[in-house]
Structure formats: structure tokens, C-alpha cells
Amino acid sequence: MSPDDFTYTSLILGHCRNRNIEGAFRLFSTMLEDKCQPNSVTYSTLINGLCNDGRISEALGMLREMLDRGIEPTVYTYTVPIVKLCEDGRVEDAFRLVGAMWRRGCHPNVHTYTALISGSCCAGILKVAIGFYNRLVKDCLVPNAVTFNALIHELFESGRFEQALKIFDWMEAHDYPRNSRTYNEMIQGLCSKGSLEDAMLLFDNMIRADFTPTVITYNILIHGYMRQKNLDIALNLFDIMSKTGCDPDIYTFAELISGLCKGGNLELAYSLFLQMSERGLQPNQFCFTALIDGYCKAGNIDKGIVLLDKMEECGCSPNVEAYNAIISALSKGDKYEDAEKLCNKMSERGVLPNVITYTSLIDGLCKNGGTSLAFKVLCEMEKNNCQPNVYTYSVLIRGLCQEGRVDSAEHLFEEMQNKGVSPGVVTFSSLIDGFVMVGRVDHAFSLLKKMLEFGCQPNYRTFSILFKGLNKDCQLLLDKVAVQNDVSYSFRSDDKHIWFDAIGQLLVRLLQIGVEPTVTIYSTLVTGLCKEGKYYEAEQLVRSMEEKDTRPDINIYNALLISHCNNLRVEPALEILNKLASSQLELPLSTYGLLICTLYKSGRGDEALGLFMNVLEKNMNADEVVRSVLIDRLLKAGLVTPCMKLFGIIQSNKCSISWLTHMLLTREISNADKSFKEDQLIGRLSDSRHISPG
């Protein structure tokens, strides 16, 4: 008795599951020889097996053979190759296949649509993806988590944040299936747009919904905080993930090492680097390069070279960035020959110098009086088909200006534009500085006008250079008068009145060249003056603005208020706060935190408390208040008792605080005051409303 179609199909399925496609097709041939007719399940099984084996063309051939035999494909038969085509990036072929499917009256199911949506998203065809999603809903099908994840991911990638958030909110409201990846996609999207607080809230919701954060979740958040240079929270997240049983991976360590190196904390970065090996993780190019760059920028070139050698010993080939870090440090340290040798060594090892390599060499030469040799490097660079960029030209222009060759510098400035390279703020500022140094202040101001016409906004350094030129002109005038009258005149460059006079001259000169000082220009000046501790001059400038009916923006008031707080000038800071109370302008929460901290330091605790209550009344996010005011300000200043008091007020106001914020707060209190133990604080600061993971 010969096997029937069910038996043959079951055996074929077994071979396919064992990835024995050849065995499956031998059995299929035997089936045909026995005059046993295959059915749609038989063909679907073989098509699935071929797709799993990466043989999509043969799978499509089987689909055609099936149709030739008059066997009608099912939705599953079509869906399997559609999924594979989308995974392989062949979305046009997938679209044609689904079209054929519709023409035969076979309607896609949720898996078909999910594959098409995901494929369209990966191909960047968002409109098509949304079209398939709308068709899915129209067909009364229920999207699954994979469908939503693909759509959310692409919406965030294309910058359509509101739509992505609406889809997620709709999923929550209708209790649609979500998984860890759904939350990860949302957290990733929020972090990419800089909404870290919203990302942290979602992280807490993820825990409350009984989804365990994965290493990917933590990596996304750590990367987000590193981008904002908030190392403290990133490191706290690293500690928390370890404590909750989530092992960090190589990407976690790489992100932290890179951020710590950029922040100058090389000791902790190297400690994490060693910890990787202890955990059985092999440091990658990114980790090595970050450390090499960090040590070289800190002036420890020898350590950078040792790490480069260790990198090779570990079988991790140094990349051009690793070589560039050392070449740059050697060049700046007037060790051009060593830099050149390393450049030749990297070329011998198949790592070609790039624009950064050449620019580093040029920069080192220019800083050490070797501008002529720097131009030879430029020629070699262009000869090797490596085109100079704006930084290369800026370095050369600065080098020429330092040698007093300002006309040559301006000629190079024109040449770079003729070659299609647009100058930046550094390029303009370097050229302006050159003309100021040789006493050609009028020409410097004409360059400033050109800079603004070009759409390049001057920074405070640009204006400081012009202040220097105006002061120099003023001193020359005084010297001339002194000679004529046989007397001596001088002024101190740090005199606040002289500084304000220079600012006044700057504003007049701007008007003379046809430039009306804008709020942006005032903001640049005020912010820069405040950072230099020149709050008197900044205040006078703001008064000058107001007298001209030019309304200061929030950046100006914020800079001035921060300056007053840093100098413990409480009354002027409160005056600004009162002025803002009657306007629509709102200070950042971090500035409120600084002012509250300053009030406590000045012994004005009641006023600090009142201001904190006002902050809470603004309906600001409680987690953000804890992090920006309590953690980043009070605890960093060692004000533990006021911190505990204010947190008690937050709790008494029944503000919901996330589990993660609790963890961060307890860690920081424990770090600020060793008499508080972390495990004791958790119970003391938490209440029944707060949920901890697992």
C-alpha cells in the first residue's frame, strides 16, 4: 500500500525542519512517481523550506509550478516568499507578488501585511508602509507587536515623532499587544529627539507593565545621556542594570568608555576597560580608539602608543581614527617627524590617511611656525586625491595670520570658496583675528559684515577679537594724544567701564557697516560676558537693549541669572526672576534648581522652599524635578538635609516618582553622605505607590 498525500507531506515537512532540502525534494519526486498528487500544503512546505535555505528564486519557481498544476496557493503559500523577499530588500518583487495574490482572490493576513510594512519601512518607503497599515485595518485585521514596532521605528527614523507617539498611545489605550522591542523602539525614538525625560518615564512604564528592560533598553538610555554629556545618570544606569541582573555587553562598555574619555575621566574609563576583560568581553576598535584619543588629548601620548600596540596584540586592527589621535597629539607637540613616521607606518599597514590625518599634520606645523611645510603637506594631500575640508583651510588661514601674512590668508579664503568649500565661524574668526593683529580693524569689520551676509553667525570669540582690536585702536589714539601733549594715558584691560565702552563701540561699528544688532547678537554677547564673570557689563548691555525697546530673550535672562547665582548675588538673581514672572518666558528647570541651591547656600532656606513650591505648582514632571533640582543641584553641592526635606514635600503632594528616579536619588544621597546606606534609603524614600522591577 503506497503512502497517501498526507503521509508524504508529513515526511517532507520533517526533512525541511531538519534543513535537509535535498532529501525533501527526493521524497517529492518519489511522491510524483507514485502518482500521488501533491496539494497546497505540500507545495507550501517545500516553498517554506527553500525560503529558509535562502533559495528564494527556486521557491518562486515552485509557486509557478504549483499554479501550472492547477493547485491554488493559500495565504500561507504567498506569505512565506513575501516575507523572504522583504527581508532580502526585494520589496518591489514582494509588491508584485502581493498584487498577484490579490488578483487570485487570496487576501493577505496580518503576517503578510506585517512583512510588507516592515519591508517598506526598511526601504524607506514610509507612505507605502502606512498605506499597507491602513489596508490592514480596513480588512478588519488586528496588527501584532511586530507590525507596530516596524511602523514606530520608521516614523521615528523619518522624524515623524507625533505620529509614532499617537500609534503607541493608541496601542496602550486599546490594550494592543506590546513587547520589550515596542518599548525599546519608543525609547530609542524619544532619545533620538532629545526627550530623555519622556524616555525615562516610558522606561518606568515598561517596568510597571511587567516588561523587563533588556541590555538594549539600557544601552539606548546610556547612549542618550552620553549625547547630553550627563555622565552621572549614564553611570547610575550602568550600576542599576548590573544590580538588576542585566549584564552589560560590549556596546554598554564602549559607550561609557567613550563618554568618560571625552569628559576627561580617564581613570574610570580605563577601570571599565579592564573590567571588560574580567567579564570575558574583548574590547573592540571603538573602546581602544576612545582611550587612545582620551590619553593623547590629555597629553599622555606614551600611554596612547602603548594602547595602540596592545590593540594589535589583541588582534584588533587599529583604524584610521586610532592613528589620527596619536598623529594629532604628536603634531601639536612639535614632534612632526614622529607624526610623519606613524603616518607612513599606518600606510604600510593598509590604513590610508584621511582628511583628518592630513589636517592634524598641517595643524601641528602651523602652530609651531611651519606654515610653509604645511602647504607642502596640502599639496601631497591633494595629490593623493584627499580633498581638504573647511577645517584644513581654517588651520592654514590661522597659520598664515599668525605669521602676519593676512593678505595671503584672505587669498586662501577666497580660493577655498572657489573650490566649493564654505567657510565656517572658525574660518571667519581666524581671518578677522589676523587683520586685528596687524592693526587693520576696519577690514576686520568688513569681514564681519561678509560673515553675517554669508549666514554665518559670529560667536563670542569673534566679538572678543573685535573688542581687542577696538581697545588696541583706543590705546593707539591715547598714545598719539599723549605724544602731542607730552603726558601719559593708559587703561586697564580688565576695567569694567572700559569693557562696556568697548561693547558700545562694537555696537556703533556694527551700525556703521549696516548691521542692526539683533537679539541673537545681544544673546551671544551677554552669554559670553557672563561666562567670563563680567556680569556688570552683561547687566549694562541688557539695560541698553531695553532702552532701545529690544526685548531680551530667555537665553539672555537665563545666562545673567546663572552668572548671579554662581557669584552668590541673590538679590539681582531674584530681580530677574520677578521680572520673568510677568512675562511669557520660562526658565529651564536646571536654572530654578541652581537658584534654589544658591538660596540655601546664602542661608535663605524659607525663600528656597517657597521657590520650590512654585516650581511644583507649574505641574512640571516630578521625576525631572528630582533629577534637575535635588540630584543635579542640591546633592552635587552637598546639601543633603535640604534635599531630603524637599523630597518629603514632593511625596506629601502625592507626586508619582518612578522607580528609576528613586534608585538614582538613593545612590546620590549615599554618595553625598556616607552615613546614609543605600538599602536603608530605598525603604525610607519609597512608599507603596512605587513599583520596583521583578
Side-chain angles (χ1 to χ4, degrees):
M1 181 175 161
S2 298
D4 59 10
D5 58 350
F6 178 80
T7 308
Y8 272 116
T9 301
S10 299
L11 292 169
I12 288 169
L13 177 61
H15 281 302
C16 288
R17 283 179 175 170
N18 291 322
R19 306 303 291 266
N20 182 8
I21 302 300
E22 304 309 322
F25 271 93
R26 280 196 298 272
L27 198 58
F28 180 65
S29 298
T30 304
M31 181 181 186
L32 295 176
E33 288 169 6
D34 283 350
K35 309 294 184 188
C36 182
Q37 292 302 313
N39 55 28
S40 63
V41 179
T42 317
Y43 274 100
S44 297
T45 303
L46 287 166
I47 288 168
N48 186 49
L50 288 166
C51 287
N52 288 338
D53 204 41
R55 295 155 68 174
I56 183 64
S57 296
E58 293 174 65
L60 293 173
M62 286 297 291
L63 181 58
R64 285 191 293 272
E65 180 184 315
M66 179 181 184
L67 291 168
D68 291 341
R69 286 178 171 271
I71 300 170
E72 200 62 39
T74 64
V75 63
Y76 176 77
T77 319
Y78 280 111
T79 298
V80 169
I82 286 171
V83 169
K84 185 61 181 171
L85 286 167
C86 289
E87 286 175 356
D88 290 350
R90 295 171 59 182
V91 289
E92 295 295 335
D93 291 332
F95 296 162
R96 279 192 285 272
L97 190 54
V98 79
M101 181 180 182
W102 268 318
R103 286 193 295 274
R104 297 193 71 85
C106 184
H107 298 287
N109 61 18
V110 68
H111 303 293
T112 323
Y113 279 119
T114 298
L116 291 165
I117 290 167
S118 180
S120 301
C121 286
C122 290
I125 319 169
L126 186 57
K127 285 185 178 179
V128 176
I130 293 171
F132 279 125
Y133 173 77
N134 291 333
R135 183 65 184 264
L136 178 153
V137 174
K138 188 179 178 181
D139 287 351
C140 299
L141 296 172
V142 179
N144 58 28
V146 180
T147 318
F148 285 117
N149 293 349
L151 205 50
I152 288 169
H153 174 81
E154 187 56 34
L155 285 167
F156 271 121
E157 283 289 304
S158 61
R160 298 167 76 166
F161 304 115
E162 293 305 317
Q163 278 185 274
L165 292 168
K166 281 179 182 177
I167 287 175
F168 183 80
D169 291 342
W170 188 86
M171 287 175 73
E172 279 197 313
H174 292 80
D175 201 26
Y176 267 71
R178 288 152 286 153
N179 55 24
S180 293
R181 185 171 173 182
T182 315
Y183 281 98
N184 287 347
E185 291 289 359
M186 286 296 300
I187 292 169
Q188 170 78 64
L190 291 167
C191 286
S192 69
K193 70 186 283 266
S195 301
L196 268 296
E197 288 304 324
D198 290 333
M200 290 296 263
L201 278 174
L202 196 57
F203 176 82
D204 191 56
N205 290 342
M206 180 180 185
I207 294 167
R208 291 172 186 268
D210 289 330
F211 289 105
T212 303
T214 64
V215 66
I216 295 171
T217 319
Y218 283 106
N219 286 350
I220 291 167
L221 287 167
I222 287 170
H223 176 71
Y225 279 107
M226 283 299 185
R227 277 178 61 195
Q228 292 194 351
K229 298 180 182 178
N230 194 328
L231 296 177
D232 291 333
I233 292 185
L235 288 167
N236 275 317
L237 283 164
F238 175 72
D239 289 337
I240 289 168
M241 71 185 289
S242 300
K243 282 187 175 181
T244 52
C246 183
D247 292 326
D249 62 13
I250 193 166
Y251 301 103
T252 322
F253 281 102
E255 196 67 53
L256 288 167
I257 289 168
S258 175
L260 288 165
C261 287
K262 287 173 183 173
N265 195 339
L266 293 169
E267 186 178 348
L268 183 52
Y270 194 68
S271 171
L272 287 175
F273 180 79
L274 296 176
Q275 195 182 131
M276 287 182 73
S277 299
E278 292 168 7
R279 289 174 176 260
L281 296 171
Q282 179 64 43
N284 59 13
Q285 275 187 344
F286 191 79
C287 299
F288 273 109
T289 303
L291 276 172
I292 291 168
D293 185 57
Y295 278 110
C296 286
K297 282 179 177 170
N300 193 343
I301 303 173
D302 290 339
K303 181 69 172 178
I305 293 170
V306 167
L307 281 164
L308 186 74
D309 294 337
K310 186 176 180 180
M311 191 174 181
E312 292 176 318
E313 289 169 13
C314 293
C316 185
S317 300
N319 54 15
V320 68
E321 287 78 17
Y323 283 111
N324 283 347
I326 300 174
I327 288 168
S328 177
L330 290 169
S331 300
K332 288 174 183 174
D334 200 14
K335 295 180 179 178
Y336 179 75
E337 287 185 6
D338 291 337
E340 192 176 29
K341 283 178 185 176
L342 187 58
C343 189
N344 292 333
K345 180 182 175 182
M346 69 182 274
S347 297
E348 289 167 7
R349 299 197 175 185
V351 182
L352 295 177
N354 62 12
V355 65
I356 297 172
T357 319
Y358 286 113
T359 302
S360 297
L361 292 168
I362 291 168
D363 187 29
L365 287 166
C366 288
K367 282 181 177 174
N368 294 287
T371 306
S372 297
L373 184 53
F375 274 94
K376 290 182 180 178
V377 175
L378 177 68
C379 291
E380 183 189 340
M381 177 182 184
E382 292 177 319
K383 185 180 174 182
N384 291 331
N385 294 319
C386 184
Q387 296 305 311
N389 60 17
V390 62
Y391 303 107
T392 318
Y393 282 111
S394 297
V395 164
L396 286 163
I397 287 167
R398 187 182 63 214
L400 289 168
C401 288
Q402 285 173 345
E403 294 180 3
R405 298 162 60 187
V406 291
D407 291 320
S408 297
E410 189 164 26
H411 176 74
L412 184 61
F413 178 78
E414 299 297 335
E415 183 183 308
M416 70 179 281
Q417 293 177 76
N418 292 334
K419 290 185 176 180
V421 182
S422 298
V425 64
V426 174
T427 325
F428 274 107
S429 297
S430 297
L431 194 56
I432 289 169
D433 194 21
F435 279 95
V436 165
M437 283 191 285
V438 297
R440 294 168 64 179
V441 178
D442 288 344
H443 193 71
F445 271 96
S446 70
L447 285 168
L448 177 68
K449 182 180 181 181
K450 186 182 288 187
M451 182 180 185
L452 290 163
E453 287 171 349
F454 196 79
C456 184
Q457 186 62 40
N459 58 20
Y460 185 66
R461 179 177 175 271
T462 318
F463 291 122
S464 295
I465 291 165
L466 292 165
F467 289 150
K468 181 177 67 175
L470 291 169
N471 285 340
K472 189 176 178 181
D473 272 3
C474 185
Q475 185 63 60
L476 287 171
L477 183 62
L478 288 172
D479 291 343
K480 186 176 179 181
V481 172
V483 169
Q484 290 173 348
N485 296 279
D486 196 26
V487 292
S488 176
Y489 296 102
S490 67
F491 63 84
R492 298 194 314 276
S493 60
D494 61 341
D495 190 298
K496 60 185 180 182
H497 297 292
I498 295 297
W499 256 99
F500 187 64
D501 286 345
I503 295 167
Q505 287 182 57
L506 174 71
L507 297 175
V508 169
R509 292 296 290 268
L510 286 173
L511 291 170
Q512 287 174 351
I513 61 172
V515 175
E516 184 72 35
T518 62
V519 173
T520 303
I521 289 175
Y522 278 111
S523 181
T524 302
L525 289 168
V526 171
T527 303
L529 288 166
C530 288
K531 284 180 179 177
E532 287 188 343
K534 295 182 172 69
Y535 55 80
Y536 170 81
E537 294 89 329
E539 279 184 318
Q540 296 304 311
L541 188 56
V542 172
R543 287 198 180 98
S544 170
M545 280 184 76
E546 291 171 335
E547 286 169 5
K548 294 174 183 177
D549 291 328
T550 304
R551 187 178 179 182
D553 64 8
I554 190 60
N555 296 319
I556 291 173
Y557 284 123
N558 189 51
L560 203 51
L561 198 151
I562 289 171
S563 178
H564 289 319
C565 287
N566 289 337
N567 290 281
L568 295 179
R569 300 182 76 243
V570 176
E571 291 304 330
L574 291 176
E575 282 178 22
I576 292 173
L577 188 69
N578 292 332
K579 188 180 289 186
L580 290 174
S582 59
S583 73
Q584 298 296 315
L585 302 176
E586 187 64 67
L587 289 167
L589 184 54
S590 59
T591 306
Y592 280 113
L594 177 60
L595 183 52
I596 289 166
C597 188
T598 303
L599 287 166
Y600 271 117
K601 284 181 181 178
S602 304
R604 301 169 71 161
D606 289 342
E607 288 172 273
L609 184 60
L611 180 56
F612 185 73
M613 294 297 290
N614 287 340
V615 169
L616 288 182
E617 287 170 8
K618 292 177 184 289
N619 292 319
M620 291 188 178
N621 178 273
D623 288 279
E624 195 175 347
V625 171
V626 171
R627 292 182 200 127
S628 297
V629 179
L630 305 191
I631 295 176
D632 290 345
R633 292 301 183 185
L634 295 180
L635 291 178
K636 289 291 186 295
L639 300 170
V640 178
T641 303
C643 172
M644 298 284 280
K645 182 177 181 179
L646 296 186
F647 187 73
I649 290 171
I650 289 174
Q651 288 183 308
S652 65
N653 283 1
K654 301 188 183 303
C655 298
S656 180
I657 305 296
S658 73
W659 164 81
L660 181 60
T661 302
H662 268 282
M663 292 290 286
L664 294 174
L665 183 61
T666 54
R667 285 183 60 78
E668 291 301 325
I669 291 173
S670 180
N671 289 336
D673 189 339
K674 300 299 179 187
S675 65
F676 288 102
K677 300 299 178 187
E678 207 173 315
D679 53 348
Q680 296 171 340
L681 281 167
I682 291 172
R684 182 173 171 181
L685 295 177
S686 300
D687 61 37
S688 60
R689 287 179 291 108
H690 303 118
I691 302 168
S692 62

